[in-house]
Amino acid sequence: MKFNSTEEYIATDDLRLAVNAAITLERPLLVKGEPGTGKTMLAEQLAESLGLRLIQWHIKSTTRAHQGLYEYDAVSRLRDSQLGVEGVHDISNYIVKGKLWEAFESEEQVVLLIDEIDKADIEFPNDLLLELDKMEFHVYETQEQIKAKKRPIVIITSNNEKDLPDAFLRRCFFHYISFPDKETMKEIVRVHYPDVQEQLVKEALEVFFDVRKVPGLKKKPSTSELVDWIKLLMADDISEETLRERDPTKAIPPLAGALVKNEQDVHLLEKLAFMARRSS
């Protein structure tokens, strides 16, 4: 199985090589990169490209590693025992399967996405070392040994909010998704909007990359935000002439709310425009 770009996803050569290397090595692919560079979408498009089912496990700050394996619902069992519910003595009725269990018991190979692993506690990755390495785990309540019928293709994403343990990193194939250059970005835009005017894309990209270059910007606009912005430009019929205007006193581009997402950056752009007006 080889992964390539799809109709909805432009994968660079190095990203394709990384995905296919991880598949060959049968190791989880750890993907890092700026928010909005398509890390989560990679798993979705990989599954579509290979014709496999996608199982998604979105990690939160409160997520525990054991939830990916299973949870024992002791509260429900206690309640049912008080009510005299039939089957209460069968503990397996109160085992809730997690995403890893779901992936392991699948008769066909699946793509398992562990999304934003760095949101969880620092011990979270270490708690999954054995399970991801050996592709099996033990259910203590029922004394079952759950082993993957078909080894899943594991994609793990991280926004680099915290460092991951070395022992975990050793078991992964790593790839950093670099921010796309202008030519790659043009291809991405065309995938989303095949009928968009070439000149509009050209001028929009000039503005987009100019905004990203502003020193001191707290949050640089991402690929997904560019795609949203171009959609708005097309919907509001903003001309390329409007975007081409390079008046330094107008530092904020039209419909900038799609690109600039916090008040500090808005104030920074306004300050730059104010300083440009004073110096002109």
Side-chain angles (χ1 to χ4, degrees):
M1 292 188 293
K2 293 291 183 183
F3 170 64
N4 288 296
S5 296
T6 68
E7 292 182 359
E8 300 176 21
Y9 190 86
I10 301 298
T12 58
D13 290 342
D14 57 343
L15 177 57
R16 290 197 297 270
L17 285 172
V19 172
N20 291 322
I23 293 174
T24 299
L25 292 173
E26 296 187 328
R27 289 189 178 274
L29 174 63
L30 174 61
V31 185
K32 292 187 179 182
E34 284 187 35
T37 49
K39 300 185 294 296
T40 300
M41 193 177 182
L42 168 64
E44 297 168 356
Q45 295 303 311
L46 171 61
E48 182 175 321
S49 171
L50 301 181
L52 303 178
R53 181 164 67 96
L54 174 65
I55 296 175
Q56 303 185 59
W57 186 17
H58 299 289
I59 307 303
K60 301 178 182 179
S61 59
T62 55
T63 304
R64 294 176 293 108
H66 204 269
Q67 291 173 303
L69 308 179
Y70 69 92
E71 289 185 278
Y72 168 49
D73 192 352
V75 174
S76 293
R77 191 182 187 202
L78 175 60
R79 183 197 60 221
D80 289 351
S81 66
Q82 293 170 339
L83 297 174
V85 175
E86 187 178 351
V88 72
H89 297 295
D90 185 355
I91 198 170
S92 64
N93 292 330
Y94 301 92
I95 298 293
V96 181
K97 297 177 182 179
K99 298 297 183 180
L100 266 73
W101 191 330
E102 183 182 347
F104 286 5
E105 73 175 0
S106 173
E107 297 291 344
E108 304 294 332
Q109 188 176 40
V110 300
V111 174
L112 172 63
L113 169 65
I114 304 176
D115 199 25
E116 298 188 327
I117 193 172
D118 52 325
K119 280 188 176 180
D121 182 85
I122 189 62
E123 290 303 319
F124 181 95
N126 281 335
D127 291 342
L128 289 177
L129 284 180
L130 181 63
E131 290 77 10
L132 291 177
D133 193 24
K134 301 296 184 182
M135 286 290 157
E136 61 180 296
F137 64 90
H138 186 70
V139 183
Y140 294 96
E141 289 79 2
T142 61
Q143 295 302 305
E144 291 178 89
Q145 191 70 15
I146 306 301
K147 190 168 184 176
K149 296 178 180 178
K150 296 282 187 179
R151 191 179 187 96
I153 299 171
V154 182
I155 305 294
I156 303 171
T157 72
S158 169
N159 285 326
N160 233 6
E161 292 183 8
K162 61 171 70 82
D163 292 334
L164 299 174
D166 288 347
F168 181 79
L169 295 175
R170 282 198 302 272
R171 289 165 169 81
C172 297
F173 189 93
F174 173 76
H175 181 73
Y176 183 86
I177 298 182
S178 302
F179 197 82
D181 57 22
K182 285 185 180 179
E183 287 306 312
T184 304
M185 201 66 88
K186 281 182 184 177
E187 292 184 51
I188 292 171
V189 172
R190 287 195 204 101
V191 164
H192 290 274
Y193 310 116
D195 300 325
V196 66
Q197 293 182 2
E198 188 74 23
Q199 197 60 33
L200 178 65
V201 175
K202 181 177 181 296
E203 298 301 334
L205 286 176
E206 291 293 332
V207 174
F208 174 77
F209 280 100
D210 282 349
V211 172
R212 282 184 57 87
K213 290 176 187 174
V214 172
L217 209 63
K218 185 175 181 181
K219 183 194 178 303
K220 295 180 180 181
S222 67
T223 306
S224 59
E225 288 158 343
L226 170 67
V227 171
D228 287 345
W229 186 50
I230 289 181
K231 181 178 181 179
L232 291 175
L233 295 177
M234 295 166 62
D236 283 28
D237 203 22
I238 303 294
S239 67
E240 56 266 25
E241 287 79 13
T242 302
L243 297 178
R244 193 180 297 124
E245 184 179 349
R246 292 293 188 268
D247 185 349
T249 65
K250 299 177 181 177
I252 299 182
L255 300 166
L259 298 176
V260 184
K261 297 298 180 70
N262 62 66
E263 63 276 14
Q264 294 97 317
D265 290 343
V266 171
H267 293 329
L268 175 60
L269 293 179
E270 289 173 342
K271 182 180 178 181
L272 292 174
F274 174 75
M275 294 174 66
R277 284 195 293 270
R278 291 198 62 181
S279 61
S280 61

